[in-house]
Each structure stands twice: as C-alpha cells, then as structure tokens.
Amino acid sequence: MNSPKTPGASAEQLANRAVQPRGPAMAKRLVDAGLATMAPDRARVRMVEGLRSMGVRDAQVLEAMQTVPRHVFVEDGLASRAYEDSALPIGFGQTISKPSTVARMLELVLEGMSPERRSAAHGLEIGTGCGYQAAVLAQMIGDVVSIERLRELHEQARSNLRPFRQPNLRLVYGDGRLGAQSAAPFDVVVVAAAADAIADPWLLQLKVGGRLIAPVKFGQGQVLQLVERSAQDQWQLTSLDAVRFVPLKAGTR
Ligand code: SAH
C-alpha cells in the first residue's frame, strides 16, 4: 500500500499499539471485551478473510480494513463484537456500518481508479459517525473531508481518530447535504446515511470522472446508487444492492 501519508506512527503501528493494554482502563477494556483470549489483530485477520470470501477483491480496501482497528471505534462494551459483520450502535441513535458494507461501498467508489490516481484523490464523506469509514478511506486516497451533523458524534469521532494522527483526514461539523464547497471538487464522494435522493451539491462538487456512492430511499427500502460524472453536464447513475442505513437528516444538532 502506498499510503498512509502519516509522518508519525503508521496506522498499522497504531493498530498494534491499540491492542496493547495501556494501563488499567485498557486492560479492563480487553477483559470486558473477551479480547484477552482473542487478540483484536487476529480477529481483524479473520474479518478480512470473511470479506474476501464474500467477494471483496480490492487489495487496498482489504489492506486498509486490516490496518484500521475497528474495535477502537465502538463502545467498550461492544468491542468483542467489533469484528463481526454487523452494524453496531454508536450512540445518538446512529450505527457504525457493517464491515462488508464499508468494503463494498469503498470498492465500488474506487473501482477502476489507478493507484496513482487514488493516492492523489480528494474524497468527501457525508456522515462521519464514529469515524471508522473515514479512517479506512483516508488510508487509500490523498485526503478526506468528513462531515457530521451531530456535534457529539463529531467530537466523538475526533477523539477516536486523535491517536491515529492522520493528517490527510479533516472532520467538519455541518450539514452534509450541502457537501463541502470550500474543499470541492472531489474525485470520490461516499454518503453514509440514506438520502431521499442524491443531493445536487454532491453532483456539482464531483470532478468529471469522479464517482459517488450513496444509499437512497427506494419504496419501503433503500438501494445503493453509484454515480459517475462522465462530463461537465452528464452524470451516470447505476442502482445496485438493497441496503439499510440510518436516514440523512437536515440541519445540525
Ligand atoms: N461513516 C460511519 C457511519 C455513520 S452512520 C461509519 O464509519 O460506520 C451515518 C451518520 O450520518 C450518522 O452519524 C448521522 O448523524 C450522520 N448524518 C445524517 N444526516 C447527516 C447530514 N445531513 N450531514 C452530516 N451527517 C449526517
């Protein structure tokens, strides 16, 4: 993998460091989570093997998910379940997406992008939540801006991500329906909450050749939509898998 662009500790070092007991709090966390017997790095290897067997092929996606310690992003009491393929609560009625969904979305949005283009790519995530997907994406592309509308979660993500010191990841508190005009245009846009429809600012803030992936409401359910901006005034939309995300909401709180 070419990235991460981290002058300090690499995410891999941090991942390993994260499984070392750091005083009583961390030791307690390991015992609580039952991770004293099943080291998180081994659990993560198993998670990635599972992703591979589910058909995830993108080597960078697999490597990034092998590197970022998902257990650091979930509540202490749920750390033992961090490497199961399930969505988990992160507070405030929100969830961390399940690993196979994160992998699928990132694989789709980065598909066909050369390693050179990836390492220079400019990305936007709508819906930071706990910060996990943003951290994974920032392993693979040049830089990422991630927006969250709930102040508490924005702060929580900031604190979850602090030890990783990923200088190419910037968290913004705001309404992601507007995108991030000041940082546009983007090569990659990943939306992590279900919209009624793809918002115009996201389409306009996409580079020509750029790709966007978003869960969009469809009947009683939701469907993943992939959009490629094929020309200045042309966007190609493909509807893919049925999914279940928390709703995209208006305004900040
Ligand atoms: N990316 C996360 C998933 C977060 S869940 C992960 O790594 O798993 C979706 C998040 O989108 C929630 O935190 C929710 O508060 C946020 N959200 C919903 N509407 C939003 C909006 N308009 N702007 C920014 N964030 C929004």
Side-chain angles (χ1 to χ4, degrees), residues 26-109:
M26 179 56 101
K28 176 175 179 301
R29 182 171 174 161
L30 290 176
V31 171
D32 282 352
L35 293 176
T37 51
M38 174 63 156
D41 51 351
R42 278 193 30 230
R44 201 154 59 249
V45 168
R46 287 240 303 255
M47 175 189 83
V48 169
E49 280 166 4
L51 294 173
R52 207 177 267 117
S53 72
M54 281 186 256
V56 179
R57 289 282 166 269
D58 189 302
Q60 279 194 328
V61 170
L62 292 168
E63 190 170 353
M65 293 185 69
Q66 180 59 62
T67 302
V68 178
R70 190 170 185 261
H71 67 280
V72 169
F73 293 83
V74 302
E75 290 165 16
D76 287 3
L78 292 171
S80 64
R81 300 187 52 202
Y83 297 105
E84 290 174 11
D85 194 32
S86 28
L88 295 171
I90 53 174
F92 312 97
Q94 309 303 317
T95 52
I96 179 172
S97 308
K98 63 178 174 176
S100 58
T101 301
V102 171
R104 170 91 174 135
M105 288 179 80
L106 297 182
E107 183 167 65
L108 283 168
V109 83

Side-chain angles (χ1 to χ4, degrees), residues 199-216:
D200 286 349
W202 303 341
L203 297 176
L204 295 169
Q205 291 172 20
L206 206 53
K207 281 186 197 168
V208 172
R211 287 156 76 88
L212 170 152
I213 188 108
V216 174

Side-chain angles (χ1 to χ4, degrees), residues 180-233:
Q181 183 58 46
S182 61
F186 299 100
D187 302 273
V188 166
V189 176
V190 180
V191 183
D196 290 333
I198 306 276
D200 286 349
W202 303 341
L203 297 176
L204 295 169
Q205 291 172 20
L206 206 53
K207 281 186 197 168
V208 172
R211 287 156 76 88
L212 170 152
I213 188 108
V216 174
K217 292 177 191 162
F218 183 77
Q220 300 294 350
Q222 300 168 8
V223 66
L224 268 190
Q225 292 192 333
L226 178 69
V227 177
E228 180 158 3
R229 187 170 192 175
S230 45
Q232 191 59 31
D233 56 357

Side-chain angles (χ1 to χ4, degrees), residues 5-18:
K5 293 145 198 64
T6 316
S10 72
E12 200 153 4
Q13 285 166 330
L14 279 157
N16 293 332
R17 196 191 302 166

Side-chain angles (χ1 to χ4, degrees), residues 94-97 125-133 147-150 153 174-177 192-193 246-249:
Q94 309 303 317
T95 52
I96 179 172
S97 308
E125 183 192 41
I126 313 292
T128 314
C130 59
Y132 173 72
Q133 180 169 261
I147 310 180
E148 173 56 53
R149 68 177 284 272
L150 298 179
L153 274 180
D175 183 352
R177 292 177 315 151
V246 295
L248 188 81
K249 292 196 174 162

